Amino acid sequence: MSARPPPTSSEKTILVNKKARFEYHILEVFEAGIVLSGSEIKSVRNSGISIEEGYVRPFSDGMYLLGATIRPYSHGHHGAATYDPLRPRKLLLHKRQIDFLRGRVEQKGLTIVPLRVYLKGGRAKVEIALARGKDNPDKREAVKEREAKRELARALKHG
């Protein structure tokens, strides 16, 4: 598993998908740009995005983020009646990365999930991960581990 680099000063996290880290074993992490319209980027900057139900699929012309919802921008254009908040959004990756991910997804049990959405230098980015689904015992173990850390923190806090 590759370590996530620390956020730079020009990086602002908009949304973190906690559900993905609970549901999946993260194998490898990638940074991808996302193609958005003008009103969509404004909505993303106002935290109007949800990626909990999102996933990434390869298509013939690249990778697409599916199932992510971007709410219509409140002060947006007049064509809001035709706006589709669930439309597939193209991800910007290098061809080598797309080919690598496409090959790994074809293996049994691997998927690509979005981990977080952030702004980097004024541009919207999505951190995606190649992941394998966890079994229920793994999830129970993660809950036990999290509760043990909380108990330890409480004990240290109260002296």
Side-chain angles (χ1 to χ4, degrees):
M1 180 166 91
S2 59
R4 181 179 2 178
T8 60
S9 61
S10 66
E11 198 172 288
K12 178 186 173 196
T13 300
I14 302 296
L15 177 71
V16 176
N17 188 359
K18 294 179 185 175
K19 185 178 174 184
R21 291 198 184 269
F22 180 73
E23 298 280 333
Y24 298 96
H25 290 290
I26 306 301
L27 304 177
E28 200 162 347
V29 178
F30 298 91
E31 176 184 79
I34 183 168
V35 178
L36 299 171
S37 69
S39 63
E40 285 178 331
I41 186 65
K42 290 177 183 180
S43 184
V44 167
R45 287 185 178 154
N46 287 334
S47 300
I49 185 169
S50 172
I51 58 172
E52 276 195 3
E53 301 299 320
Y55 57 97
V56 178
R57 288 283 176 259
F59 287 94
S60 60
D61 62 336
M63 299 292 241
Y64 282 83
L65 177 63
L66 306 169
T69 305
I70 298 180
R71 290 191 306 261
Y73 183 57
S74 58
H75 307 296
H77 58 288
H78 301 292
T82 60
Y83 178 72
D84 181 16
L86 286 171
R87 77 173 177 84
R89 290 170 179 89
K90 187 169 185 173
L91 297 179
L92 304 172
L93 291 160
H94 293 285
K95 183 163 178 44
R96 195 172 334 136
Q97 290 173 325
I98 293 171
D99 292 341
F100 173 78
L101 288 169
R102 182 176 283 132
R104 296 293 301 264
V105 166
E106 289 171 0
Q107 292 180 6
K108 185 178 179 187
L110 295 182
T111 188
I112 305 169
V113 293
L115 296 179
R116 71 182 180 124
V117 176
Y118 57 99
L119 297 174
K120 184 175 180 181
R123 300 185 188 274
K125 303 283 184 179
V126 178
E127 188 175 78
I128 60 173
L130 188 63
R132 182 182 320 269
K134 283 185 181 178
D135 294 331
N136 280 336
D138 293 337
K139 291 179 191 176
R140 285 194 298 268
E141 190 64 36
V143 169
K144 286 179 189 174
E145 195 174 300
R146 185 172 57 228
E147 288 176 359
K149 285 181 183 178
R150 272 193 205 138
E151 287 295 323
L152 181 62
R154 277 191 207 124
L156 291 174
K157 182 179 176 183
H158 293 295

mmCIF file of all heavy atoms in Angstrom, residues 96-123:
data_model
loop_
_atom_site.group_PDB
_atom_site.id
_atom_site.type_symbol
_atom_site.label_atom_id
_atom_site.label_comp_id
_atom_site.label_asym_id
_atom_site.label_seq_id
_atom_site.Cartn_x
_atom_site.Cartn_y
_atom_site.Cartn_z
ATOM 1 N N ARG A 96 -0.602 5.300 -19.367
ATOM 2 C CA ARG A 96 0.034 4.179 -18.685
ATOM 3 C C ARG A 96 -0.754 3.788 -17.426
ATOM 4 O O ARG A 96 -0.934 2.609 -17.129
ATOM 5 C CB ARG A 96 1.466 4.570 -18.307
ATOM 6 C CG ARG A 96 2.349 3.448 -17.936
ATOM 7 C CD ARG A 96 3.803 3.882 -17.770
ATOM 8 N NE ARG A 96 4.123 5.064 -18.543
ATOM 9 C CZ ARG A 96 4.836 6.114 -18.090
ATOM 10 N NH1 ARG A 96 5.307 6.120 -16.877
ATOM 11 N NH2 ARG A 96 5.091 7.146 -18.854
ATOM 12 N N GLN A 97 -1.227 4.801 -16.686
ATOM 13 C CA GLN A 97 -2.023 4.528 -15.495
ATOM 14 C C GLN A 97 -3.362 3.887 -15.858
ATOM 15 O O GLN A 97 -3.811 2.953 -15.194
ATOM 16 C CB GLN A 97 -2.279 5.822 -14.717
ATOM 17 C CG GLN A 97 -1.044 6.387 -14.059
ATOM 18 C CD GLN A 97 -1.315 7.748 -13.445
ATOM 19 O OE1 GLN A 97 -2.082 8.546 -13.966
ATOM 20 N NE2 GLN A 97 -0.657 8.012 -12.323
ATOM 21 N N ILE A 98 -3.994 4.381 -16.918
ATOM 22 C CA ILE A 98 -5.271 3.820 -17.367
ATOM 23 C C ILE A 98 -5.098 2.359 -17.757
ATOM 24 O O ILE A 98 -5.885 1.493 -17.361
ATOM 25 C CB ILE A 98 -5.854 4.631 -18.538
ATOM 26 C CG1 ILE A 98 -6.257 6.026 -18.053
ATOM 27 C CG2 ILE A 98 -7.054 3.921 -19.152
ATOM 28 C CD1 ILE A 98 -6.634 6.980 -19.170
ATOM 29 N N ASP A 99 -4.046 2.054 -18.524
ATOM 30 C CA ASP A 99 -3.800 0.676 -18.945
ATOM 31 C C ASP A 99 -3.523 -0.228 -17.744
ATOM 32 O O ASP A 99 -4.005 -1.359 -17.671
ATOM 33 C CB ASP A 99 -2.632 0.618 -19.926
ATOM 34 C CG ASP A 99 -2.955 1.270 -21.258
ATOM 35 O OD1 ASP A 99 -4.160 1.435 -21.566
ATOM 36 O OD2 ASP A 99 -2.019 1.647 -21.991
ATOM 37 N N PHE A 100 -2.738 0.271 -16.776
ATOM 38 C CA PHE A 100 -2.434 -0.494 -15.569
ATOM 39 C C PHE A 100 -3.713 -0.801 -14.788
ATOM 40 O O PHE A 100 -3.968 -1.939 -14.411
ATOM 41 C CB PHE A 100 -1.442 0.276 -14.695
ATOM 42 C CG PHE A 100 -1.205 -0.353 -13.351
ATOM 43 C CD1 PHE A 100 -0.369 -1.446 -13.223
ATOM 44 C CD2 PHE A 100 -1.820 0.152 -12.220
ATOM 45 C CE1 PHE A 100 -0.159 -2.031 -11.988
ATOM 46 C CE2 PHE A 100 -1.612 -0.423 -10.984
ATOM 47 C CZ PHE A 100 -0.780 -1.520 -10.867
ATOM 48 N N LEU A 101 -4.528 0.231 -14.565
ATOM 49 C CA LEU A 101 -5.766 0.054 -13.803
ATOM 50 C C LEU A 101 -6.744 -0.859 -14.528
ATOM 51 O O LEU A 101 -7.385 -1.711 -13.912
ATOM 52 C CB LEU A 101 -6.412 1.411 -13.508
ATOM 53 C CG LEU A 101 -5.692 2.264 -12.472
ATOM 54 C CD1 LEU A 101 -6.263 3.664 -12.461
ATOM 55 C CD2 LEU A 101 -5.768 1.631 -11.106
ATOM 56 N N ARG A 102 -6.850 -0.703 -15.840
ATOM 57 C CA ARG A 102 -7.759 -1.546 -16.624
ATOM 58 C C ARG A 102 -7.345 -3.016 -16.486
ATOM 59 O O ARG A 102 -8.180 -3.894 -16.297
ATOM 60 C CB ARG A 102 -7.738 -1.118 -18.088
ATOM 61 C CG ARG A 102 -8.702 -1.915 -18.949
ATOM 62 C CD ARG A 102 -8.751 -1.414 -20.369
ATOM 63 N NE ARG A 102 -9.541 -0.191 -20.406
ATOM 64 C CZ ARG A 102 -9.169 0.930 -21.014
ATOM 65 N NH1 ARG A 102 -8.019 0.986 -21.640
ATOM 66 N NH2 ARG A 102 -9.943 1.979 -21.010
ATOM 67 N N GLY A 103 -6.055 -3.295 -16.556
ATOM 68 C CA GLY A 103 -5.573 -4.664 -16.422
ATOM 69 C C GLY A 103 -5.828 -5.244 -15.051
ATOM 70 O O GLY A 103 -6.213 -6.406 -14.908
ATOM 71 N N ARG A 104 -5.652 -4.438 -13.998
ATOM 72 C CA ARG A 104 -5.848 -4.927 -12.635
ATOM 73 C C ARG A 104 -7.328 -5.122 -12.300
ATOM 74 O O ARG A 104 -7.677 -6.023 -11.551
ATOM 75 C CB ARG A 104 -5.218 -3.962 -11.626
ATOM 76 C CG ARG A 104 -3.717 -3.831 -11.715
ATOM 77 C CD ARG A 104 -2.970 -5.100 -11.331
ATOM 78 N NE ARG A 104 -3.239 -5.555 -9.993
ATOM 79 C CZ ARG A 104 -2.500 -5.298 -8.932
ATOM 80 N NH1 ARG A 104 -1.406 -4.576 -9.055
ATOM 81 N NH2 ARG A 104 -2.837 -5.756 -7.747
ATOM 82 N N VAL A 105 -8.204 -4.261 -12.855
ATOM 83 C CA VAL A 105 -9.641 -4.376 -12.570
ATOM 84 C C VAL A 105 -10.217 -5.636 -13.186
ATOM 85 O O VAL A 105 -11.161 -6.220 -12.654
ATOM 86 C CB VAL A 105 -10.389 -3.116 -13.069
ATOM 87 C CG1 VAL A 105 -11.880 -3.322 -13.099
ATOM 88 C CG2 VAL A 105 -10.052 -1.943 -12.178
ATOM 89 N N GLU A 106 -9.632 -6.093 -14.292
ATOM 90 C CA GLU A 106 -10.109 -7.310 -14.930
ATOM 91 C C GLU A 106 -9.829 -8.541 -14.074
ATOM 92 O O GLU A 106 -10.435 -9.576 -14.263
ATOM 93 C CB GLU A 106 -9.499 -7.442 -16.321
ATOM 94 C CG GLU A 106 -10.069 -6.416 -17.284
ATOM 95 C CD GLU A 106 -9.350 -6.368 -18.621
ATOM 96 O OE1 GLU A 106 -8.382 -7.132 -18.820
ATOM 97 O OE2 GLU A 106 -9.759 -5.560 -19.461
ATOM 98 N N GLN A 107 -8.876 -8.413 -13.109
ATOM 99 C CA GLN A 107 -8.643 -9.508 -12.180
ATOM 100 C C GLN A 107 -9.834 -9.623 -11.242
ATOM 101 O O GLN A 107 -10.507 -8.658 -10.954
ATOM 102 C CB GLN A 107 -7.387 -9.247 -11.341
ATOM 103 C CG GLN A 107 -6.109 -9.284 -12.109
ATOM 104 C CD GLN A 107 -4.920 -9.017 -11.197
ATOM 105 O OE1 GLN A 107 -5.057 -8.910 -9.996
ATOM 106 N NE2 GLN A 107 -3.761 -8.909 -11.810
ATOM 107 N N LYS A 108 -10.067 -10.800 -10.764
ATOM 108 C CA LYS A 108 -11.233 -11.036 -9.903
ATOM 109 C C LYS A 108 -11.083 -10.320 -8.556
ATOM 110 O O LYS A 108 -10.053 -10.389 -7.917
ATOM 111 C CB LYS A 108 -11.397 -12.531 -9.653
ATOM 112 C CG LYS A 108 -12.627 -12.868 -8.873
ATOM 113 C CD LYS A 108 -12.762 -14.348 -8.708
ATOM 114 C CE LYS A 108 -13.998 -14.653 -7.886
ATOM 115 N NZ LYS A 108 -14.076 -16.053 -7.564
ATOM 116 N N GLY A 109 -12.142 -9.627 -8.167
ATOM 117 C CA GLY A 109 -12.192 -9.043 -6.832
ATOM 118 C C GLY A 109 -11.599 -7.661 -6.668
ATOM 119 O O GLY A 109 -11.608 -7.135 -5.569
ATOM 120 N N LEU A 110 -11.066 -7.067 -7.706
ATOM 121 C CA LEU A 110 -10.488 -5.729 -7.578
ATOM 122 C C LEU A 110 -11.432 -4.691 -8.166
ATOM 123 O O LEU A 110 -12.108 -4.937 -9.158
ATOM 124 C CB LEU A 110 -9.131 -5.639 -8.272
ATOM 125 C CG LEU A 110 -8.006 -6.484 -7.691
ATOM 126 C CD1 LEU A 110 -6.721 -6.249 -8.457
ATOM 127 C CD2 LEU A 110 -7.804 -6.188 -6.222
ATOM 128 N N THR A 111 -11.453 -3.532 -7.561
ATOM 129 C CA THR A 111 -12.274 -2.429 -8.035
ATOM 130 C C THR A 111 -11.523 -1.123 -7.811
ATOM 131 O O THR A 111 -10.495 -1.098 -7.145
ATOM 132 C CB THR A 111 -13.646 -2.413 -7.324
ATOM 133 O OG1 THR A 111 -14.462 -1.449 -7.942
ATOM 134 C CG2 THR A 111 -13.508 -2.114 -5.852
ATOM 135 N N ILE A 112 -12.050 -0.046 -8.348
ATOM 136 C CA ILE A 112 -11.445 1.269 -8.156
ATOM 137 C C ILE A 112 -12.480 2.141 -7.457
ATOM 138 O O ILE A 112 -13.602 2.284 -7.939
ATOM 139 C CB ILE A 112 -11.030 1.907 -9.495
ATOM 140 C CG1 ILE A 112 -10.120 0.958 -10.261
ATOM 141 C CG2 ILE A 112 -10.331 3.239 -9.252
ATOM 142 C CD1 ILE A 112 -9.868 1.378 -11.690
ATOM 143 N N VAL A 113 -12.098 2.701 -6.309
ATOM 144 C CA VAL A 113 -13.018 3.527 -5.528
ATOM 145 C C VAL A 113 -12.418 4.921 -5.311
ATOM 146 O O VAL A 113 -11.200 5.059 -5.203
ATOM 147 C CB VAL A 113 -13.338 2.881 -4.160
ATOM 148 C CG1 VAL A 113 -14.127 1.608 -4.335
ATOM 149 C CG2 VAL A 113 -12.090 2.622 -3.363
ATOM 150 N N PRO A 114 -13.264 5.951 -5.253
ATOM 151 C CA PRO A 114 -12.766 7.286 -4.929
ATOM 152 C C PRO A 114 -12.573 7.412 -3.418
ATOM 153 O O PRO A 114 -13.428 6.992 -2.637
ATOM 154 C CB PRO A 114 -13.880 8.214 -5.431
ATOM 155 C CG PRO A 114 -15.107 7.383 -5.404
ATOM 156 C CD PRO A 114 -14.670 5.971 -5.645
ATOM 157 N N LEU A 115 -11.438 7.972 -3.000
ATOM 158 C CA LEU A 115 -11.148 8.127 -1.579
ATOM 159 C C LEU A 115 -11.423 9.541 -1.076
ATOM 160 O O LEU A 115 -11.916 9.718 0.021
ATOM 161 C CB LEU A 115 -9.686 7.778 -1.285
ATOM 162 C CG LEU A 115 -9.278 6.344 -1.542
ATOM 163 C CD1 LEU A 115 -7.802 6.164 -1.236
ATOM 164 C CD2 LEU A 115 -10.109 5.393 -0.718
ATOM 165 N N ARG A 116 -11.052 10.536 -1.876
ATOM 166 C CA ARG A 116 -11.295 11.912 -1.459
ATOM 167 C C ARG A 116 -11.316 12.829 -2.659
ATOM 168 O O ARG A 116 -10.788 12.506 -3.721
ATOM 169 C CB ARG A 116 -10.285 12.387 -0.428
ATOM 170 C CG ARG A 116 -8.895 12.625 -0.951
ATOM 171 C CD ARG A 116 -7.955 13.055 0.164
ATOM 172 N NE ARG A 116 -6.632 13.270 -0.401
ATOM 173 C CZ ARG A 116 -5.958 14.392 -0.294
ATOM 174 N NH1 ARG A 116 -6.442 15.397 0.384
ATOM 175 N NH2 ARG A 116 -4.769 14.516 -0.840
ATOM 176 N N VAL A 117 -11.942 13.976 -2.470
ATOM 177 C CA VAL A 117 -11.996 15.027 -3.480
ATOM 178 C C VAL A 117 -11.318 16.239 -2.863
ATOM 179 O O VAL A 117 -11.573 16.578 -1.703
ATOM 180 C CB VAL A 117 -13.448 15.375 -3.864
ATOM 181 C CG1 VAL A 117 -13.492 16.530 -4.850
ATOM 182 C CG2 VAL A 117 -14.147 14.162 -4.438
ATOM 183 N N TYR A 118 -10.435 16.876 -3.624
ATOM 184 C CA TYR A 118 -9.736 18.034 -3.101
ATOM 185 C C TYR A 118 -9.404 19.000 -4.227
ATOM 186 O O TYR A 118 -9.489 18.651 -5.407
ATOM 187 C CB TYR A 118 -8.472 17.611 -2.345
ATOM 188 C CG TYR A 118 -7.490 16.795 -3.155
ATOM 189 C CD1 TYR A 118 -6.375 17.392 -3.734
ATOM 190 C CD2 TYR A 118 -7.663 15.437 -3.330
ATOM 191 C CE1 TYR A 118 -5.475 16.645 -4.461
ATOM 192 C CE2 TYR A 118 -6.772 14.686 -4.060
ATOM 193 C CZ TYR A 118 -5.671 15.293 -4.624
ATOM 194 O OH TYR A 118 -4.782 14.552 -5.356
ATOM 195 N N LEU A 119 -9.056 20.211 -3.840
ATOM 196 C CA LEU A 119 -8.629 21.234 -4.790
ATOM 197 C C LEU A 119 -7.120 21.376 -4.665
ATOM 198 O O LEU A 119 -6.591 21.498 -3.555
ATOM 199 C CB LEU A 119 -9.297 22.572 -4.488
ATOM 200 C CG LEU A 119 -10.812 22.593 -4.610
ATOM 201 C CD1 LEU A 119 -11.357 23.929 -4.147
ATOM 202 C CD2 LEU A 119 -11.251 22.310 -6.024
ATOM 203 N N LYS A 120 -6.448 21.359 -5.786
ATOM 204 C CA LYS A 120 -4.991 21.485 -5.801
ATOM 205 C C LYS A 120 -4.647 22.526 -6.855
ATOM 206 O O LYS A 120 -4.879 22.306 -8.045
ATOM 207 C CB LYS A 120 -4.344 20.150 -6.132
ATOM 208 C CG LYS A 120 -2.845 20.142 -6.082
ATOM 209 C CD LYS A 120 -2.343 18.736 -6.320
ATOM 210 C CE LYS A 120 -0.837 18.671 -6.278
ATOM 211 N NZ LYS A 120 -0.364 17.310 -6.543
ATOM 212 N N GLY A 121 -4.163 23.646 -6.414
ATOM 213 C CA GLY A 121 -3.846 24.721 -7.351
ATOM 214 C C GLY A 121 -5.082 25.224 -8.073
ATOM 215 O O GLY A 121 -5.009 25.595 -9.239
ATOM 216 N N GLY A 122 -6.226 25.181 -7.409
ATOM 217 C CA GLY A 122 -7.460 25.664 -8.006
ATOM 218 C C GLY A 122 -8.179 24.656 -8.884
ATOM 219 O O GLY A 122 -9.248 24.940 -9.413
ATOM 220 N N ARG A 123 -7.611 23.478 -9.049
ATOM 221 C CA ARG A 123 -8.230 22.445 -9.894
ATOM 222 C C ARG A 123 -8.753 21.304 -9.034
ATOM 223 O O ARG A 123 -8.143 20.926 -8.043
ATOM 224 C CB ARG A 123 -7.222 21.907 -10.896
ATOM 225 C CG ARG A 123 -6.696 22.990 -11.811
ATOM 226 C CD ARG A 123 -5.798 22.403 -12.877
ATOM 227 N NE ARG A 123 -5.135 23.441 -13.633
ATOM 228 C CZ ARG A 123 -5.645 24.042 -14.689
ATOM 229 N NH1 ARG A 123 -6.845 23.720 -15.096
ATOM 230 N NH2 ARG A 123 -4.962 24.964 -15.337
#
